[in-house]
Amino acid sequence: GAGVSQTPSNKVTEKGKYVELRCDPISGHTALYWYRQSLGQGPEFLIYFQGTGAADDSGLPNDRFFAVRPEGSVSTLKIQRTERGDSAVYLCASSPGGMSGYTFGSGTRLTVV
Amino acid sequence: KNEVEQSPQNLTAQEGEFITINCSYSVGISALHWLQQHPGGGIVSLFMLSSGKKKHGRLIATINIQEKHSSLHITASHPRDSAVYICALQGAQKLVFGQGTRLTINP
């Protein structure tokens, strides 16, 4: 597609539930990033994929968070046993790699009630 | 200490004023990005800099690698420029973001 697509744009879930957030990057972009942005803060790194593999998952806050990119294109961020503190905007970005720029999606606003 | 610091955190100005937003950092980088984020919207990439200066319309970005400092300037500011402007450092792989500067331009 023309840009990075994230779905859903908004998600409200109950505490303890499981959620999946989807990112569809620009076709051909090998690098894909997930960031989390809390209100009034800058985005914080979660995980980075190069192709199908997670090249750096050091930003995932705990083992409730997991992400996959099985075919090197679409990625899914999975959050188990959601907590109210998980409420944030989850941003996805993709890049051709190297010193190329990034294209960001519009984000998924997750609210855990 | 944060690797990247932006100032000011909030800036309110009148339409037409010249705007400067600053970004200082403490680590080695391969590039620095300036990004724009509108309320409820996604992030738009404005500039990627590794040296010198870039200009796009009314926006100018400069970087001094030796001093580890970058500035974003907006000339003839307009209310539609109201947004959060974020400085982000590019290392080997991921971006490290500043906290952003919330800019409000009043008509």
Side-chain angles (χ1 to χ4, degrees), chain A residues 33 35 37 40-45 48 55-56 58 91 98-107 109, chain B residues 30-31 33 35 37 40-45 48 50 86 90 92-100 102:
Chain A
Y33 303 79
Y35 292 88
Q37 187 175 24
Q41 304 292 318
E44 294 179 315
F45 171 77
Y48 153 60
D56 184 349
S58 61
L91 292 163
M99 281 298 293
S100 302
Y102 297 78
T103 302
F104 287 83
S106 296
R109 182 175 299 278
Chain B
S30 56
H33 297 254
L35 309 161
Q37 187 172 37
I43 291 176
V44 174
S45 179
M48 183 173 73
S50 54
I86 304 172
Q90 180 168 346
Q93 296 174 338
K94 63 197 180 198
L95 293 178
V96 176
F97 291 81
Q99 292 208 329
R102 182 173 298 278

Side-chain angles (χ1 to χ4, degrees), chain B residues 1-53:
Chain B
K1 186 183 186 301
N2 291 333
E3 292 176 322
V4 55
E5 299 274 358
Q6 283 186 241
S7 63
Q9 287 188 310
N10 291 280
L11 177 58
T12 300
Q14 291 300 120
E15 184 174 358
E17 287 190 36
F18 180 81
I19 302 299
T20 296
I21 299 170
N22 295 300
C23 176
S24 295
Y25 55 94
S26 57
V27 296
I29 61 172
S30 56
L32 182 144
H33 297 254
W34 281 103
L35 309 161
Q36 181 192 57
Q37 187 172 37
H38 283 277
I43 291 176
V44 174
S45 179
L46 298 175
F47 296 103
M48 183 173 73
L49 293 162
S50 54
S51 65
K53 175 180 173 179

